Amino acid sequence: LYLLQKFRVFQNQNKPLTKEEIFNNIWDYNETPNEGSLRTFVKVLRKYLGKDRIETIKEVGYRYVSK
């Protein structure tokens, strides 16, 4: 998963990624991201990695939780 690799690269250990950071730094420039696309992306990542690996930070964004 290319987006997963990029998500991990931009992820700081204790700092969640904001939606804007995800849109600006992770999303392909050939696509126009929106909230629905982001939620689908996170849902797929959670299915692939396990629900506990992507944490939602309400009103902020998401954080990758390493094992």
Side-chain angles (χ1 to χ4, degrees):
L1 284 166
Y2 177 69
L3 287 176
L4 172 60
Q5 291 171 338
K6 289 184 109 178
F7 190 83
R8 286 180 178 166
V9 167
F10 282 98
Q11 178 63 49
N12 276 328
Q13 288 295 328
N14 294 315
K15 180 181 175 275
L17 291 172
T18 66
K19 294 173 186 177
E20 288 76 25
E21 287 174 314
I22 294 170
F23 289 150
N24 293 333
N25 297 305
I26 296 177
W27 225 263
D28 187 346
Y29 290 108
N30 296 326
E31 300 177 45
T32 304
N34 60 47
E35 295 282 329
S37 300
L38 179 59
R39 284 192 298 272
T40 300
F41 169 65
V42 171
K43 181 179 177 180
V44 169
L45 284 180
R46 285 180 172 149
K47 184 176 181 181
Y48 180 75
L49 298 172
K51 291 182 180 183
D52 59 335
R53 300 299 299 277
I54 304 293
E55 180 181 11
T56 300
I57 310 298
K58 191 171 183 172
E59 301 296 324
V60 175
Y62 299 93
R63 177 170 45 211
Y64 174 75
V65 180
S66 61
K67 288 186 176 181

Coordinates of all heavy atoms in Angstrom, one line a residue:
L1 N 0.8 -1.2 0.0 CA 0.0 0.0 0.0 C 0.9 1.3 0.0 O 1.5 1.6 1.0 CB -0.9 0.0 1.2 CG -2.1 -0.9 1.3 CD1 -2.7 -1.0 2.7 CD2 -3.1 -0.4 0.3
Y2 N 0.9 1.9 -1.1 CA 1.7 3.1 -1.3 C 1.3 4.2 -0.3 O 2.2 4.8 0.4 CB 1.6 3.6 -2.7 CG 2.3 4.9 -3.0 CD1 3.7 4.9 -3.0 CD2 1.6 6.1 -3.2 CE1 4.4 6.1 -3.3 CE2 2.3 7.2 -3.5 CZ 3.7 7.2 -3.5 OH 4.4 8.4 -3.7
L3 N 0.0 4.4 -0.1 CA -0.4 5.5 0.8 C 0.0 5.2 2.3 O 0.3 6.0 3.1 CB -1.9 5.7 0.7 CG -2.4 6.4 -0.5 CD1 -3.9 6.5 -0.5 CD2 -1.8 7.8 -0.6
L4 N -0.1 3.9 2.6 CA 0.4 3.5 4.0 C 1.8 3.8 4.2 O 2.2 4.3 5.2 CB 0.1 2.0 4.2 CG 0.7 1.4 5.5 CD1 0.1 2.1 6.7 CD2 0.5 -0.1 5.5
Q5 N 2.7 3.6 3.2 CA 4.1 3.9 3.3 C 4.3 5.4 3.5 O 5.1 5.8 4.4 CB 4.9 3.4 2.1 CG 4.9 1.9 2.0 CD 5.5 1.4 0.7 OE1 5.5 2.2 -0.3 NE2 6.0 0.2 0.7
K6 N 3.6 6.2 2.8 CA 3.7 7.6 2.9 C 3.1 8.1 4.3 O 3.7 8.9 4.9 CB 2.9 8.3 1.8 CG 3.6 8.2 0.5 CD 2.9 9.0 -0.6 CE 3.7 10.2 -1.0 NZ 3.1 11.0 -2.0
F7 N 2.1 7.4 4.7 CA 1.5 7.8 6.0 C 2.5 7.6 7.1 O 2.7 8.4 8.0 CB 0.2 6.9 6.3 CG -0.6 7.3 7.5 CD1 -1.5 8.3 7.4 CD2 -0.4 6.7 8.7 CE1 -2.3 8.7 8.5 CE2 -1.2 7.1 9.8 CZ -2.1 8.1 9.7
R8 N 3.2 6.4 7.1 CA 4.3 6.1 8.1 C 5.4 7.1 8.0 O 6.0 7.5 9.0 CB 4.8 4.7 7.9 CG 3.8 3.7 8.3 CD 4.3 2.3 8.1 NE 3.4 1.3 8.6 CZ 3.5 0.0 8.3 NH1 4.5 -0.4 7.5 NH2 2.7 -0.9 8.8
V9 N 5.8 7.5 6.8 CA 6.9 8.4 6.6 C 6.6 9.8 7.3 O 7.5 10.4 8.0 CB 7.3 8.6 5.2 CG1 8.2 9.8 5.0 CG2 7.9 7.3 4.6
F10 N 5.4 10.3 7.1 CA 5.1 11.6 7.6 C 4.6 11.6 9.1 O 4.4 12.6 9.7 CB 4.0 12.2 6.8 CG 4.5 12.8 5.5 CD1 4.4 12.1 4.3 CD2 5.1 14.0 5.4 CE1 4.9 12.6 3.1 CE2 5.6 14.5 4.3 CZ 5.5 13.8 3.1
Q11 N 4.5 10.4 9.6 CA 4.0 10.2 11.0 C 5.1 10.5 12.0 O 6.1 9.9 12.0 CB 3.4 8.8 11.2 CG 2.9 8.6 12.6 CD 1.7 9.5 12.9 OE1 0.8 9.6 12.2 NE2 1.8 10.1 14.1
N12 N 4.8 11.5 12.9 CA 5.7 11.6 14.1 C 5.2 10.7 15.2 O 4.0 10.5 15.3 CB 5.6 13.1 14.6 CG 6.6 14.0 13.8 OD1 7.6 13.5 13.4 ND2 6.2 15.2 13.6
Q13 N 6.0 10.3 16.0 CA 5.7 9.3 17.1 C 4.5 9.8 17.9 O 3.6 9.0 18.1 CB 6.8 9.0 18.0 CG 7.9 8.2 17.3 CD 7.4 6.8 17.0 OE1 6.6 6.2 17.7 NE2 7.9 6.2 15.9
N14 N 4.5 11.0 18.4 CA 3.4 11.4 19.3 C 2.5 12.5 18.7 O 1.7 13.1 19.4 CB 4.0 11.9 20.6 CG 4.6 10.7 21.4 OD1 4.1 9.6 21.4 ND2 5.8 10.9 21.9
K15 N 2.8 12.9 17.5 CA 2.0 14.0 16.9 C 1.1 13.4 15.8 O 1.5 12.8 14.8 CB 3.0 15.0 16.2 CG 2.3 16.1 15.5 CD 3.3 17.0 14.9 CE 2.6 18.1 14.1 NZ 2.2 17.7 12.7
P16 N -0.2 13.6 16.0 CA -1.2 13.1 15.0 C -1.0 13.9 13.7 O -0.6 15.1 13.7 CB -2.5 13.3 15.6 CG -2.3 14.3 16.6 CD -0.9 14.2 17.1
L17 N -1.3 13.3 12.6 CA -1.4 14.0 11.3 C -2.8 14.7 11.2 O -3.8 14.0 11.3 CB -1.2 13.0 10.1 CG 0.2 12.4 10.0 CD1 0.2 11.4 8.9 CD2 1.2 13.5 9.6
T18 N -2.8 15.9 10.8 CA -4.0 16.6 10.6 C -4.6 16.2 9.2 O -3.8 15.7 8.4 CB -3.9 18.1 10.6 OG1 -3.1 18.5 9.5 CG2 -3.3 18.6 11.9
K19 N -5.8 16.4 9.0 CA -6.4 16.1 7.7 C -5.7 16.9 6.6 O -5.5 16.4 5.5 CB -7.9 16.4 7.7 CG -8.7 15.5 8.7 CD -10.1 16.0 8.8 CE -10.8 15.2 9.9 NZ -12.2 15.6 10.1
E20 N -5.4 18.1 6.9 CA -4.7 19.0 5.9 C -3.3 18.4 5.6 O -2.9 18.4 4.4 CB -4.6 20.4 6.4 CG -5.9 21.2 6.4 CD -6.8 20.8 7.6 OE1 -6.3 20.3 8.6 OE2 -8.0 20.9 7.4
E21 N -2.6 17.9 6.6 CA -1.3 17.3 6.3 C -1.4 16.1 5.4 O -0.6 15.8 4.5 CB -0.6 17.0 7.6 CG -0.1 18.1 8.4 CD 0.5 17.8 9.7 OE1 -0.2 17.0 10.5 OE2 1.5 18.3 10.1
I22 N -2.4 15.3 5.7 CA -2.7 14.1 4.9 C -3.0 14.5 3.5 O -2.4 13.9 2.5 CB -3.8 13.2 5.5 CG1 -3.3 12.6 6.9 CG2 -4.2 12.1 4.6 CD1 -4.4 12.0 7.7
F23 N -3.9 15.4 3.3 CA -4.3 15.9 2.0 C -3.1 16.5 1.2 O -2.9 16.2 0.1 CB -5.4 16.9 2.0 CG -6.7 16.3 2.4 CD1 -7.6 17.1 3.1 CD2 -7.1 15.0 2.1 CE1 -8.9 16.6 3.5 CE2 -8.3 14.5 2.5 CZ -9.2 15.3 3.2
N24 N -2.3 17.3 1.9 CA -1.2 18.0 1.3 C 0.1 17.1 1.0 O 0.8 17.4 0.1 CB -0.8 19.2 2.1 CG -1.9 20.3 2.1 OD1 -2.7 20.3 1.1 ND2 -1.9 21.1 3.1
N25 N 0.3 16.2 1.9 CA 1.6 15.4 1.8 C 1.5 14.0 1.4 O 2.5 13.4 1.0 CB 2.3 15.5 3.2 CG 2.7 16.9 3.6 OD1 3.3 17.6 2.8 ND2 2.2 17.3 4.7
I26 N 0.3 13.4 1.6 CA 0.2 12.0 1.3 C -0.7 11.7 0.1 O -0.3 10.8 -0.7 CB -0.5 11.3 2.5 CG1 0.5 11.4 3.7 CG2 -0.8 9.8 2.2 CD1 0.0 10.8 5.0
W27 N -1.7 12.5 -0.1 CA -2.6 12.2 -1.3 C -1.9 12.5 -2.6 O -1.1 13.4 -2.7 CB -3.9 13.1 -1.1 CG -5.1 12.3 -1.3 CD1 -5.8 12.2 -2.5 CD2 -5.8 11.5 -0.4 NE1 -6.9 11.4 -2.3 CE2 -6.9 10.9 -1.1 CE3 -5.6 11.2 0.9 CZ2 -7.8 10.0 -0.4 CZ3 -6.4 10.3 1.6 CH2 -7.5 9.8 0.9
D28 N -2.3 11.7 -3.6 CA -1.8 11.9 -4.9 C -2.3 13.2 -5.5 O -3.5 13.5 -5.4 CB -2.2 10.7 -5.8 CG -1.6 10.7 -7.2 OD1 -1.1 11.7 -7.6 OD2 -1.7 9.6 -7.8
Y29 N -1.4 13.9 -6.1 CA -1.8 15.2 -6.7 C -2.8 15.1 -7.9 O -3.4 16.1 -8.3 CB -0.6 16.0 -7.1 CG 0.2 16.5 -6.0 CD1 1.5 15.9 -5.7 CD2 -0.2 17.5 -5.2 CE1 2.2 16.4 -4.6 CE2 0.5 18.0 -4.1 CZ 1.7 17.4 -3.8 OH 2.5 17.8 -2.8
N30 N -2.9 13.9 -8.4 CA -3.9 13.7 -9.5 C -5.3 13.5 -9.1 O -6.2 13.4 -9.9 CB -3.4 12.5 -10.4 CG -2.1 12.7 -11.0 OD1 -1.8 13.8 -11.4 ND2 -1.3 11.6 -11.1
E31 N -5.5 13.4 -7.7 CA -6.8 13.2 -7.2 C -7.2 14.5 -6.4 O -6.3 15.2 -5.9 CB -6.8 12.0 -6.2 CG -6.4 10.7 -6.9 CD -6.4 9.6 -5.9 OE1 -7.3 9.5 -5.1 OE2 -5.4 8.8 -6.0
T32 N -8.5 14.7 -6.2 CA -9.0 15.7 -5.4 C -9.5 15.1 -4.1 O -10.6 14.5 -4.2 CB -10.1 16.5 -6.1 OG1 -9.6 17.0 -7.3 CG2 -10.6 17.7 -5.2
P33 N -8.8 15.2 -3.0 CA -9.2 14.5 -1.8 C -10.4 15.2 -1.1 O -10.7 16.4 -1.3 CB -8.0 14.6 -0.9 CG -7.3 15.8 -1.3 CD -7.6 15.9 -2.8
N34 N -11.2 14.4 -0.4 CA -12.3 15.0 0.4 C -12.5 14.2 1.6 O -11.8 13.2 1.8 CB -13.6 15.1 -0.5 CG -14.0 13.7 -0.9 OD1 -14.1 12.7 -0.2 ND2 -14.4 13.6 -2.2
E35 N -13.4 14.6 2.5 CA -13.6 13.9 3.8 C -14.0 12.4 3.6 O -13.5 11.6 4.3 CB -14.6 14.6 4.6 CG -14.2 16.0 5.1 CD -13.3 16.0 6.2 OE1 -13.3 15.1 7.1 OE2 -12.5 16.9 6.3
G36 N -14.8 12.2 2.6 CA -15.3 10.8 2.4 C -14.1 9.9 1.9 O -14.0 8.8 2.3
S37 N -13.2 10.5 1.0 CA -12.1 9.7 0.6 C -11.1 9.4 1.8 O -10.6 8.3 1.9 CB -11.3 10.5 -0.5 OG -12.1 10.8 -1.6
L38 N -11.0 10.4 2.6 CA -10.1 10.2 3.8 C -10.7 9.1 4.7 O -9.9 8.2 5.2 CB -9.9 11.5 4.5 CG -9.0 11.4 5.8 CD1 -7.6 10.9 5.4 CD2 -9.0 12.8 6.4
R39 N -12.0 9.1 5.0 CA -12.6 8.1 5.9 C -12.4 6.7 5.2 O -12.2 5.8 6.0 CB -14.0 8.5 6.1 CG -14.2 9.6 7.1 CD -15.7 9.7 7.6 NE -16.6 10.1 6.5 CZ -16.9 11.3 6.1 NH1 -16.3 12.3 6.7 NH2 -17.7 11.5 5.1
T40 N -12.6 6.6 3.9 CA -12.5 5.3 3.3 C -11.0 4.9 3.4 O -10.8 3.7 3.6 CB -12.9 5.5 1.8 OG1 -14.3 5.9 1.8 CG2 -12.7 4.1 1.1
F41 N -10.1 5.7 3.2 CA -8.7 5.4 3.3 C -8.3 4.9 4.7 O -7.7 3.8 4.8 CB -7.8 6.7 3.0 CG -6.4 6.5 3.3 CD1 -5.6 5.6 2.6 CD2 -5.8 7.4 4.3 CE1 -4.2 5.5 3.0 CE2 -4.5 7.3 4.6 CZ -3.7 6.4 3.9
V42 N -8.8 5.6 5.7 CA -8.6 5.1 7.1 C -9.3 3.8 7.4 O -8.7 2.9 8.0 CB -9.0 6.2 8.1 CG1 -9.0 5.7 9.5 CG2 -8.1 7.4 7.9
K43 N -10.5 3.6 6.9 CA -11.2 2.3 7.0 C -10.4 1.2 6.4 O -10.3 0.1 7.0 CB -12.6 2.5 6.4 CG -13.4 1.2 6.6 CD -14.8 1.4 5.9 CE -15.6 0.2 6.0 NZ -16.9 0.4 5.4
V44 N -9.9 1.4 5.2 CA -9.1 0.3 4.6 C -7.8 0.0 5.3 O -7.4 -1.1 5.5 CB -8.8 0.7 3.1 CG1 -7.8 -0.2 2.5 CG2 -10.1 0.8 2.3
L45 N -7.1 1.1 5.8 CA -5.9 0.9 6.6 C -6.2 0.1 7.9 O -5.5 -0.8 8.3 CB -5.3 2.2 7.0 CG -4.5 2.9 5.9 CD1 -4.0 4.3 6.4 CD2 -3.4 2.1 5.3
R46 N -7.3 0.4 8.5 CA -7.7 -0.3 9.8 C -8.0 -1.7 9.5 O -7.7 -2.6 10.3 CB -8.9 0.4 10.4 CG -8.5 1.7 11.1 CD -9.7 2.4 11.8 NE -9.2 3.5 12.6 CZ -9.9 4.6 12.8 NH1 -11.1 4.7 12.3 NH2 -9.4 5.6 13.5
K47 N -8.7 -2.0 8.4 CA -9.0 -3.4 8.0 C -7.7 -4.2 7.7 O -7.5 -5.3 8.1 CB -9.9 -3.4 6.8 CG -10.3 -4.8 6.4 CD -11.3 -4.8 5.2 CE -11.7 -6.2 4.9 NZ -12.7 -6.2 3.8
Y48 N -6.7 -3.5 7.1 CA -5.5 -4.1 6.7 C -4.6 -4.3 7.9 O -3.9 -5.4 8.0 CB -4.8 -3.3 5.6 CG -3.5 -3.8 5.1 CD1 -3.4 -4.9 4.3 CD2 -2.3 -3.2 5.5 CE1 -2.2 -5.3 3.8 CE2 -1.1 -3.6 5.1 CZ -1.0 -4.7 4.2 OH 0.2 -5.2 3.8
L49 N -4.5 -3.3 8.7 CA -3.5 -3.3 9.9 C -4.1 -3.8 11.2 O -3.4 -4.2 12.1 CB -3.0 -1.9 10.1 CG -2.2 -1.2 8.9 CD1 -1.9 0.2 9.2 CD2 -0.9 -2.0 8.7
G50 N -5.4 -3.6 11.3 CA -6.1 -3.9 12.6 C -6.6 -2.5 13.1 O -6.0 -1.5 12.9
K51 N -7.8 -2.6 13.7 CA -8.4 -1.4 14.1 C -7.6 -0.5 15.1 O -7.8 0.7 15.2 CB -9.8 -1.7 14.8 CG -10.8 -2.3 13.8 CD -12.1 -2.5 14.4 CE -13.1 -3.1 13.3 NZ -14.4 -3.3 13.9
D52 N -6.8 -1.1 15.9 CA -6.1 -0.4 16.9 C -4.8 0.3 16.4 O -4.2 1.0 17.2 CB -5.7 -1.3 18.1 CG -4.8 -2.5 17.6 OD1 -4.9 -2.9 16.4 OD2 -4.1 -3.1 18.5
R53 N -4.5 0.2 15.1 CA -3.3 0.7 14.6 C -3.4 2.2 14.1 O -2.4 2.9 14.0 CB -2.7 -0.1 13.5 CG -2.4 -1.5 13.8 CD -1.3 -1.6 14.9 NE 0.0 -1.1 14.5 CZ 0.9 -1.7 13.8 NH1 0.7 -2.9 13.4 NH2 2.0 -1.1 13.5
I54 N -4.6 2.6 13.8 CA -4.9 4.0 13.3 C -5.8 4.6 14.4 O -7.0 4.2 14.5 CB -5.5 4.0 11.9 CG1 -4.7 3.3 10.9 CG2 -5.8 5.5 11.5 CD1 -3.3 3.9 10.6
E55 N -5.3 5.6 15.1 CA -6.1 6.2 16.1 C -6.7 7.5 15.6 O -6.0 8.3 15.0 CB -5.2 6.5 17.3 CG -5.9 7.2 18.5 CD -4.9 7.5 19.6 OE1 -3.7 7.3 19.4 OE2 -5.4 7.8 20.7
T56 N -8.0 7.7 15.9 CA -8.6 9.0 15.5 C -8.4 10.0 16.6 O -8.7 9.6 17.8 CB -10.1 8.8 15.3 OG1 -10.3 7.8 14.2 CG2 -10.8 10.1 14.9
I57 N -7.9 11.1 16.3 CA -7.8 12.2 17.3 C -8.9 13.2 16.9 O -8.8 13.9 15.9 CB -6.4 12.9 17.2 CG1 -5.3 11.8 17.3 CG2 -6.3 13.9 18.3 CD1 -5.3 11.0 18.6
K58 N -10.0 13.2 17.7 CA -11.1 14.0 17.4 C -10.8 15.5 17.1 O -10.0 16.1 17.9 CB -12.2 13.9 18.5 CG -13.5 14.5 18.1 CD -14.5 14.1 19.2 CE -15.9 14.7 18.7 NZ -17.0 14.2 19.6
E59 N -11.3 16.0 16.1 CA -11.1 17.5 15.7 C -9.7 17.8 15.2 O -9.4 18.9 15.1 CB -11.5 18.4 16.8 CG -13.0 18.3 17.3 CD -14.0 18.6 16.2 OE1 -13.7 19.6 15.4 OE2 -15.0 18.0 16.1
V60 N -8.9 16.7 15.1 CA -7.5 17.0 14.7 C -7.1 16.2 13.5 O -6.8 16.7 12.5 CB -6.5 16.6 15.9 CG1 -5.0 16.8 15.4 CG2 -6.8 17.5 17.1
G61 N -7.1 14.8 13.6 CA -6.8 14.0 12.5 C -6.6 12.6 12.9 O -7.4 12.0 13.7
Y62 N -5.5 12.0 12.5 CA -5.2 10.5 12.8 C -3.8 10.3 13.2 O -2.9 11.1 12.8 CB -5.5 9.7 11.5 CG -6.9 9.8 11.1 CD1 -7.3 10.7 10.1 CD2 -7.9 9.0 11.6 CE1 -8.6 10.9 9.7 CE2 -9.2 9.1 11.2 CZ -9.6 10.0 10.2 OH -10.9 10.1 9.8
R63 N -3.6 9.3 14.0 CA -2.2 8.9 14.4 C -2.0 7.4 14.1 O -2.8 6.6 14.4 CB -2.0 9.2 15.8 CG -0.6 8.8 16.4 CD -0.3 9.3 17.7 NE -1.4 9.2 18.7 CZ -1.5 10.0 19.7 NH1 -0.7 11.0 19.9 NH2 -2.5 9.8 20.5
Y64 N -0.8 7.1 13.5 CA -0.4 5.7 13.4 C 0.2 5.2 14.7 O 1.1 5.8 15.2 CB 0.6 5.6 12.2 CG 1.1 4.2 12.1 CD1 0.4 3.2 11.5 CD2 2.4 3.9 12.5 CE1 0.9 1.9 11.3 CE2 2.9 2.6 12.4 CZ 2.2 1.6 11.8 OH 2.7 0.4 11.6
V65 N -0.3 4.1 15.2 CA 0.2 3.5 16.4 C 1.0 2.3 16.1 O 0.6 1.3 15.6 CB -1.0 3.1 17.3 CG1 -0.5 2.5 18.6 CG2 -2.0 4.3 17.6
S66 N 2.3 2.5 16.4 CA 3.2 1.4 16.1 C 3.2 0.3 17.2 O 2.8 0.7 18.3 CB 4.7 1.9 15.9 OG 5.1 2.5 17.1
K67 N 3.5 -0.9 16.9 CA 3.5 -1.9 17.9 C 4.7 -1.9 18.9 O 5.7 -1.4 18.6 CB 3.5 -3.3 17.2 CG 2.2 -3.6 16.5 CD 2.3 -5.0 16.0 CE 0.9 -5.4 15.4 NZ 0.9 -6.7 14.9

